[in-house]
Amino acid sequence: MPTISVAPKDFENVKSLESLPEKEDVWQCYVHQLRTWVSSSSNEIVRPYLMLVISVQSGAFLSTTVADEDGNTNILAQSAQPSTSQELRASLAMLPGLVQCQGFTPTFGKELFAAAKKFYSAKPWTKLPPAARRPIKVSFPIATDDEGNVYRSQGYAALIGQQQGEEESLGLALYKKEDVAWKAISQSSRGDQETPAADEASMMGHSLLYFPMQEFPFEDLECAEWYGWEVQSPSAWPLFVKVAADDAENAEDDAPAQVVMTRPELLDLMWFEVALQAVLELIEGGELSASEDARDVTAALGPWTVKAKSHAAKGNEEELLVELSCPPKPLGADDMAKLML
């Protein structure tokens, strides 16, 4: 049981409390971790706890305290700034959690995070430098009707990002169209900071990006703690997002497209779970590499068939046969000129 230490000078004040009339009351203590980040006195970034003591009968607030997880109240009031100045990334923490996706289960979330963790720890971005990257066609069955017809999910995986000093911008993107995937890889390899209007389509799609914990949706942070979702490190939380154009009616026709970030649907998350496993198997097995043959993007690679597990169907595990291939890059004017030399 906790004890209260009373200094000698305060002893008389404590004794005076004994003379006060007793009155029955019920106090309720409420402790809640706030969805914000603050800087502590030691310059650490922490999520504070709000502690309230309320009189149930009168509704009066008897005590209000903000502290860190160790009970330290010496934390600064100002909000901690995210590690990036980009407004879009700073707002990611307010995205809804994956559990808001229809059909999503905590078991699926655990396996999805596990696949993302393994993918990140294998460092595929260093094994496949920008010059050796190409879209990877990923296809797997999702349903079979009564007549035996198999319905498949298909898309193009694009390994995006590269390490520049201490700054990392790494991820895996999903595109429905092959040409858009080629554009995304080209722009990512150049390290473009601004996307030309002609290539705005390459921004639209589904992406897995790795972000610091302070820029991660709070609801996902809390689910990870409750359900045991594991991550590689505090600076590499896997963020699954859908990027789409803002179709606001008041948008000007000649204005650059504004993007809106939301969460993917269950089928798209299932695609990531499967693709992360399948693509990593090809990279670790050497089928996708930085060899001279692999760098010849005018030649097709594959096809390959690998096995992957999915837990998207109500959290139940199922094994899938995944078909992968790398289409050749369409020849442009510059490519044709090089072939003629």
Side-chain angles (χ1 to χ4, degrees):
M1 176 178 293
T3 59
I4 300 176
S5 300
V6 181
K9 63 179 182 179
D10 296 325
F11 186 71
E12 292 299 326
N13 294 332
V14 174
K15 287 187 63 178
S16 66
L17 295 177
E18 298 177 354
S19 62
L20 294 176
E22 295 183 1
K23 181 180 179 181
E24 290 189 2
D25 197 359
V26 178
W27 293 357
Q28 183 175 9
C29 182
Y30 174 80
V31 180
H32 179 73
Q33 192 171 24
L34 301 177
R35 291 187 173 183
T36 188
W37 297 96
V38 298
S39 300
S40 68
S41 57
S42 58
N43 293 325
E44 294 182 356
I45 307 299
V46 299
R47 279 186 66 188
Y49 287 84
L50 173 64
M51 295 174 284
L52 300 176
V53 179
I54 304 172
S55 170
V56 175
Q57 294 183 353
S58 67
F61 288 89
L62 306 177
S63 175
T64 303
T65 305
V66 177
D68 61 19
E69 61 182 10
D70 296 324
N72 177 27
T73 60
N74 188 23
I75 57 177
L76 302 181
Q78 71 266 22
S79 297
Q81 296 298 319
S83 59
T84 175
S85 59
Q86 298 181 24
E87 182 179 353
L88 186 59
R89 294 179 66 176
S91 64
L92 293 176
M94 303 312 297
L95 285 173
L98 292 175
V99 292
Q100 301 297 331
C101 174
Q102 184 176 2
F104 190 92
T105 65
T107 300
F108 176 43
K110 184 174 183 178
E111 299 302 327
L112 183 63
F113 268 53
K117 175 185 177 182
K118 184 176 181 180
F119 193 81
Y120 186 90
S121 63
K123 299 186 181 302
W125 303 275
T126 59
K127 297 177 182 178
L128 278 183
R133 296 177 190 172
R134 57 173 70 197
I136 306 168
K137 184 179 179 180
V138 181
S139 175
F140 57 90
I142 56 174
T144 304
D145 62 19
D146 296 337
E147 298 179 357
N149 298 313
V150 179
Y151 298 90
R152 306 182 68 85
S153 176
Q154 177 177 300
Y156 294 88
L159 196 64
I160 56 175
Q162 54 187 315
Q163 186 168 357
Q164 299 176 339
E166 297 182 356
E167 293 294 326
E168 289 185 345
S169 178
L170 309 175
L172 183 73
L174 160 63
Y175 297 98
K176 301 299 183 182
K177 296 182 179 180
E178 178 188 335
D179 61 329
V180 179
W182 276 113
K183 287 182 180 180
I185 291 175
S186 176
Q187 291 176 5
S188 175
S189 300
R190 295 196 306 264
D192 291 356
Q193 298 298 320
E194 295 184 3
T195 306
D199 291 339
E200 283 172 355
S202 64
M203 298 174 60
M204 312 306 171
H206 297 77
S207 298
L208 160 62
L209 305 169
Y210 293 89
F211 280 94
M213 180 171 56
Q214 293 82 9
E215 300 172 20
F216 205 70
F218 287 112
E219 192 167 8
D220 283 347
L221 287 174
E222 292 162 358
C223 285
E225 180 180 357
W226 296 337
Y227 301 119
W229 301 352
E230 296 183 356
V231 298
Q232 177 66 20
S233 70
S235 62
W237 281 72
L239 178 67
F240 298 89
V241 294
K242 175 183 178 181
V243 181
D246 186 1
D247 296 328
E249 296 181 358
N250 57 354
E252 298 180 7
D253 295 337
D254 58 347
Q258 300 296 314
V259 299
V260 177
M261 301 184 74
T262 57
R263 307 314 296 268
E265 297 180 356
L266 184 67
L267 183 59
D268 298 314
L269 292 172
M270 178 183 180
W271 188 93
F272 274 111
E273 180 193 26
V274 172
L276 286 168
Q277 301 172 65
V279 171
L280 184 58
E281 183 170 334
L282 293 184
I283 295 176
E284 292 185 330
E287 286 84 356
L288 293 177
S289 66
S291 65
E292 290 299 324
D293 291 339
R295 288 174 181 266
D296 181 12
V297 295
T298 62
L301 293 179
W304 307 279
T305 300
V306 302
K307 294 181 180 179
K309 296 179 180 180
S310 175
H311 298 76
K314 298 182 179 180
N316 299 321
E317 180 180 306
E318 59 178 331
E319 188 174 76
L320 302 171
L321 289 178
V322 187
E323 297 179 1
L324 303 100
S325 62
C326 292
K329 183 178 181 180
L331 294 179
D334 294 340
D335 300 311
M336 294 295 294
K338 292 179 181 178
L339 292 175
M340 296 175 64
L341 294 177

